[in-house]
Amino acid sequence: MSADPQQPAAEWIPATAAALGRELGAAVDGGQFPGGVLVVGQTGAGRAVVGRGLVAPECGGARPDEHTRYDLASLTKVLATWPLVGAAVRAGLLDLDAPLRAAFPGLPSPGGELTTGQLLSHTSGLLPQTGLARYQHTGRPLAEHLCAEPLVSAPGAHHRYVDRGFILLGLLLPELLGRPLPLLAGELWRGLGLDATAYGPLPRDAHLAPTEQRLRGAPRTWGIPHDPSAALLGGVAGHAGVFSSAADLASFAEHLLGADGPLPEWFALSRRPRAAVEPGLHRGLAWIVTADGAVAYHHGFTGTSLYLAPRTGRFVVLCSNAVYHGWDRTRLAGLRGLALRSLLPGN
């Protein structure tokens, strides 16, 4: 299925929602995960919401809808860190192509020589294994530890998706902007009307989807980040830790796809290719972008995705707790592939 830009939204939205809903329902009926919710929309032309399955067995008969909150995992990168970096760039506090040391003189090498653009585009050469536990109780700031680590490749040479760059930005932004990360992000989200979006911990209830039971007999991860590094950082990090709803993600998509303003301008700049990911895909600033520039998207490990088509104003939101039964990354492959194709121009 591919998008026909000439197809009226009144036809495209329900047809796409139905096709994606069937794929989501098949995964849920097949026992891949408890349930999930999709939002398919076009700016100025409405949305369709499709929910399938249950929030989770722990939540009784509660069905997922656009207001159910999910652990976003790496969608934190584009919902919190990326827009805050954009605000800092607009304010002249950060230069995408200047060494971090220009804004943070105390950072050690080699990390202090990296640029914000390299961190956002996953071309920094930072270590791919997160493993922050070894830095506990050292008395040294974590940002200094991360910058002192050896690089695995020359900065700017290779695309390698790692959490470290966004962890580092999440540590540095509060120092630059003068307030803790949850306050900075919260002010951003409230300004956009994203009232269900927040860092945890959140109270357990039937409107919040639990994720994984890591050890048999242990409590299920619920209201705290599934990501172990975000949990180690107290639930607040630049790469993971945010919870939100499909409705809020759809509103965020509509803001990014708007006609003008600082956020759409930052999104446009961020879609410029900076590194090849694989044939047909490039990495911009945080976002993956198709080679023709038709779609920009990002995933979260827990089972979340956000797809945007700037030329048509169309978008697809996916929220699920696909890690409920473990880390099988193929559970959403078919659905995610279909979502991407639904926004590509017709061949």
Side-chain angles (χ1 to χ4, degrees), residues 42-224:
Q42 183 169 338
T43 53
R47 308 173 184 175
V49 180
V50 179
R52 294 288 186 269
L54 299 172
V55 175
E58 292 85 351
C59 300
R63 301 281 182 178
D65 61 24
E66 69 269 35
H67 303 298
T68 305
R69 291 167 120 181
Y70 285 85
D71 180 347
L72 295 188
S74 281
L75 280 190
T76 297
K77 293 180 172 75
V78 294
L79 211 68
T81 308
W82 168 78
L84 289 174
V85 169
V89 170
R90 287 194 302 276
L93 299 174
L94 275 180
D95 183 329
L96 288 173
D97 300 313
L100 290 175
R101 192 173 284 141
F104 308 97
L107 292 180
S109 294
E113 302 304 319
L114 299 174
T115 70
T116 302
Q118 289 165 347
L119 298 181
L120 289 176
S121 61
H122 297 278
T123 58
S124 63
L126 289 168
L127 293 176
Q129 300 82 16
T130 307
L132 304 181
R134 65 181 177 274
Y135 297 134
Q136 294 182 96
H137 310 301
T138 63
R140 187 184 190 189
L142 179 58
E144 293 184 14
H145 278 297
L146 296 180
C147 286
E149 292 174 338
L151 302 180
V152 298
S153 60
H158 301 288
H159 176 271
R160 182 181 287 104
Y161 184 82
V162 298
D163 288 332
R164 251 174 173 68
F166 279 79
I167 292 173
L168 182 56
L169 288 169
L171 296 169
L172 296 177
L173 282 168
E175 181 179 337
L176 187 70
L177 300 176
R179 281 177 293 162
L181 186 58
L183 293 183
L184 293 168
E187 182 179 77
L188 165 74
W189 297 327
R190 300 299 87 76
L192 297 175
L194 310 184
D195 296 328
T197 305
Y199 277 102
L202 300 180
R204 298 180 176 189
D205 61 37
H207 305 291
L208 173 66
T211 53
E212 188 180 6
Q213 183 185 45
R214 296 189 182 276
L215 297 172
R216 187 170 182 176
R220 188 169 289 279
T221 303
W222 192 358
I224 58 175

Side-chain angles (χ1 to χ4, degrees), residues 262-334:
L263 204 51
E265 291 171 5
W266 177 232
F267 184 47
L269 174 65
S270 299
R271 298 196 308 272
R272 296 177 186 172
R274 284 189 166 237
V277 176
E278 59 183 65
L281 296 177
H282 293 86
R283 179 78 65 178
L285 298 174
W287 299 88
I288 294 178
V289 186
T290 56
D292 60 1
V295 181
Y297 65 96
H298 207 289
H299 298 314
F301 186 86
T302 47
T304 59
S305 295
L306 179 59
Y307 301 85
L308 305 104
R311 295 171 190 165
T312 60
R314 295 172 178 176
F315 60 88
V316 174
V317 171
L318 167 64
C319 288
S320 76
N321 48 352
V323 294
Y324 188 88
H325 297 305
W327 288 17
D328 182 355
R329 294 174 66 85
T330 65
R331 289 192 173 102
L332 287 174

